[in-house]
Amino acid sequence: MLKLSEKTREILNDKKWIDIRDGWFGRMQGLFHGKRDSFLENHFYAVNGVTGNAGAELLYENPAEWVNRALES
């Protein structure tokens, strides 16, 4: 299995992105638990994930390489 590059590791462990992710997951958990959220009265969730410029076929052929390319592009 391909080892993550240092740049990819830094991106995945960046506190700013982790805090953003945790905030959105917290909001989504609230939605599933039936909690009122005024933001969601005018917005909806679209779960996209990482897109980057890695080819879609690579995702199935070599997922680890896809992660590196998607995050570093």
Side-chain angles (χ1 to χ4, degrees):
M1 181 173 207
L2 180 69
K3 187 175 180 181
L4 293 177
S5 72
E6 190 59 36
K7 182 175 180 183
T8 300
R9 188 177 310 284
E10 287 175 17
I11 292 168
L12 289 172
N13 290 295
D14 186 317
K15 180 152 175 37
K16 177 181 93 174
W17 296 115
I18 291 171
D19 289 344
I20 290 170
R21 179 207 61 202
D22 289 349
W24 282 105
F25 273 123
R27 180 167 262 153
M28 197 175 340
Q29 284 177 325
L31 173 70
F32 287 117
H33 291 291
K35 294 182 180 174
R36 184 178 173 94
D37 185 336
S38 61
F39 177 83
L40 295 177
E41 291 176 7
N42 298 309
H43 300 84
F44 64 93
Y45 277 100
V47 181
N48 297 324
V50 173
T51 53
N53 291 322
E57 68 286 345
L58 189 59
L59 176 60
Y60 300 101
E61 296 169 6
N62 189 340
E65 177 63 22
W66 182 88
V67 168
N68 281 333
R69 288 186 191 179
L71 290 174
E72 294 181 8
S73 61

